[in-house]
Amino acid sequence: MTHLPDTTRPCRRLWVDIANSPQVLVLRPIIKLFEERGWEVTVTARDYAQTLPLLDRFALPYTPLGKHQGANFIKKAAGLVVRSRALKRFGKDKGFTLAFSHSSNDLPVACKALGIPHVTMSDYEFARLSHTLNIPRSAKVIFPEVIPFEMLASEGCTREQYAPFPGLKEEYYLADFEPDEQVLSELAIDPDKILVVLRTPPSMAAYHHHDNPLFYEILARIKTRADVCAVVFPRTPEQIPQIREVGADNVVIPDHVVDAQSLCYYADLVISAGGSMNREAVALGTPAWTAFRGVMGAVDKELIAQGRLHSIETADDIVFEKKGERAQRTIRDVNILVDLILSALPEDQR
């Protein structure tokens, strides 16, 4: 479906806040479609992990506001107050019609104070703190339909707010993805070896309160495999020394932002102790293994039940082999998400 901008309407302004690296990928095509529909989009972004470099890579204009305060709960709470106030100052008198974020804890607080309708999106039902902040302050709550309404109702979500979408969010934002083989030469990947892409645990996240020794046991097993070449994407600089302590000569830690999605596409298997990269691999038809040690969400449970994602109990569970025939990609229309976001507004404002 083609949506042409209506030039007879007053300017409609969307405010998007990006607080973490994966959100750049999720929100990029949504921002693009809003602009194609004639909206003026303003992006604010938190300095955390690869968020700002990714925005630069995709040439998305943004205003940097605030930074991550680390894993300490008291510092997180203080950071929420400080950044929400900064966003409130930023958004005042800007004339925003609507605001949207994927699990930003700061934007809904600022929008509630400013009277700007906010729409939240997420795909993990057990991020309790985030939902406590987001759901009561959002006009619409967008989640995968595999997560039942009853799970969100316990967090205060109403039927009027609930806006489910089919499939994985990754099947939407990777819809226009075209792999680039250059990433393999950029990282000097040996094509004869089994390529493994890994993502570290979300150690700074409020929903992940414990260490994950399994991830480092997996690295230790990779160290013994002369037929394997591995690339690890740390979430924070603090994780890099622990990765290097394993002493695996066949493990590469990129020192700059690389095309991780192309790497996942060409990989023989992807292993993540989080969620987004595994689901990207699933969406791209690459075998994926989860080493996540938090409470497993409904999306990943369903993927495991379908055989599209594999669970790891010990490092010996992983099957290291060259990828066979690629699983078929599922591509979804990003307009579905845009329409759900716009459903927060009256018809004449969309």
Side-chain angles (χ1 to χ4, degrees):
M1 182 184 299
T2 301
H3 297 265
L4 297 176
D6 184 350
T7 57
T8 65
R9 284 183 169 186
C11 182
R12 295 163 294 165
R13 295 185 171 92
L14 176 70
W15 182 7
V16 174
D17 186 49
I18 299 179
N20 202 348
S21 309
Q23 296 170 18
V24 179
L25 305 170
V26 178
L27 301 180
R28 178 195 59 81
I30 293 174
I31 291 169
K32 179 182 177 183
L33 275 183
F34 265 95
E35 290 176 337
E36 288 178 359
R37 293 196 191 189
W39 283 67
E40 179 184 296
V41 181
T42 298
V43 177
T44 49
R46 182 176 66 166
D47 185 2
Y48 175 54
Q50 290 80 42
T51 304
L52 303 189
L54 278 171
L55 285 165
D56 292 334
R57 176 188 156 205
F58 287 111
L60 286 173
Y62 64 92
T63 298
L65 277 177
K67 61 182 181 179
H68 198 282
Q69 298 299 317
N72 181 275
F73 182 80
I74 294 175
K75 288 184 177 180
K76 278 180 179 289
L80 172 67
V81 172
V82 170
R83 189 164 187 270
S84 296
R85 286 176 176 171
L87 288 172
K88 181 182 174 183
R89 289 192 296 270
F90 176 86
K92 187 178 180 181
D93 300 327
K94 291 284 199 309
F96 290 121
T97 312
L98 183 66
F100 174 65
S101 64
H102 189 290
S103 302
S104 167
N105 295 332
D106 311 309
L107 186 63
V109 175
C111 287
K112 188 69 174 180
L114 293 169
I116 301 168
H118 174 265
V119 176
T120 186
M121 180 179 176
S122 181
D123 61 355
Y124 182 58
E125 65 270 35
F126 296 111
R128 303 291 192 190
L129 176 60
S130 180
H131 300 334
T132 299
L133 292 165
N134 271 272
I135 291 176
R137 296 172 176 83
S138 297
K140 288 292 178 180
V141 176
I142 301 176
F143 272 76
E145 61 186 11
V146 71
I147 298 175
F149 167 74
E150 290 72 24
M151 291 292 299
L152 303 177
S154 65
E155 303 294 334
C157 183
T158 66
R159 284 284 182 188
E160 185 178 3
Q161 288 173 290
Y162 183 57
F165 64 88
L168 308 173
K169 72 178 189 297
E170 291 78 10
E171 293 168 342
Y172 293 88
Y173 72 75
L174 291 172
D176 63 351
F177 171 77
E178 294 291 339
D180 183 356
E181 279 189 292
Q182 183 178 340
V183 70
L184 300 176
S185 56
E186 182 182 343
L187 295 173
I189 301 298
D190 184 342
D192 294 326
K193 293 191 175 182
I194 299 167
L195 174 57
V196 183
V197 175
L198 302 104
R199 179 71 158 158
T200 54
S203 55
M204 294 287 191
Y207 57 79
H208 194 276
H209 298 291
H210 44 78
D211 293 329
N212 188 340
L214 174 61
F215 182 82
Y216 297 95
E217 291 166 11
I218 293 167
L219 285 180
R221 185 177 174 210
I222 287 172
K223 176 183 177 180
T224 68
R225 299 284 306 237
D227 59 338
V228 168
C229 175
V231 180
V232 181
F233 289 97
R235 292 175 188 269
T236 66
E238 291 76 14
Q239 291 176 327
I240 294 175
Q242 195 170 357
I243 297 168
R244 287 181 172 155
E245 279 178 15
V246 176
D249 294 335
N250 56 345
V251 170
V252 175
I253 306 172
D255 59 3
H256 59 286
V257 174
V258 300
D259 184 352
Q261 287 66 50
S262 288
L263 201 61
C264 285
Y265 180 88
Y266 290 113
D268 295 298
L269 62 152
V270 169
I271 303 169
S272 176
S276 296
M277 186 167 281
N278 273 339
R279 291 189 290 273
E280 287 178 353
V282 168
L284 294 172
T286 297
W289 298 72
T290 178
F292 183 61
R293 281 299 174 264
V295 181
M296 186 75 71
V299 173
D300 285 355
K301 283 182 180 178
E302 180 64 19
L303 291 175
I304 290 171
Q306 294 172 358
R308 301 169 71 192
L309 178 65
H310 307 283
S311 181
I312 305 170
E313 296 302 323
T314 73
D316 292 331
D317 292 339
I318 304 167
V319 178
F320 293 98
E321 61 184 7
K322 278 288 189 181
K323 182 166 55 185
E325 185 177 346
R326 180 180 299 278
Q328 185 174 357
R329 287 180 61 182
T330 301
I331 295 175
R332 298 186 186 267
D333 186 355
V334 183
N335 281 293
I336 293 172
L337 299 181
V338 172
D339 288 340
L340 286 176
I341 295 166
L342 288 172
S343 69
L345 295 174
E347 189 74 38
D348 61 352
Q349 293 183 33
R350 298 178 189 177

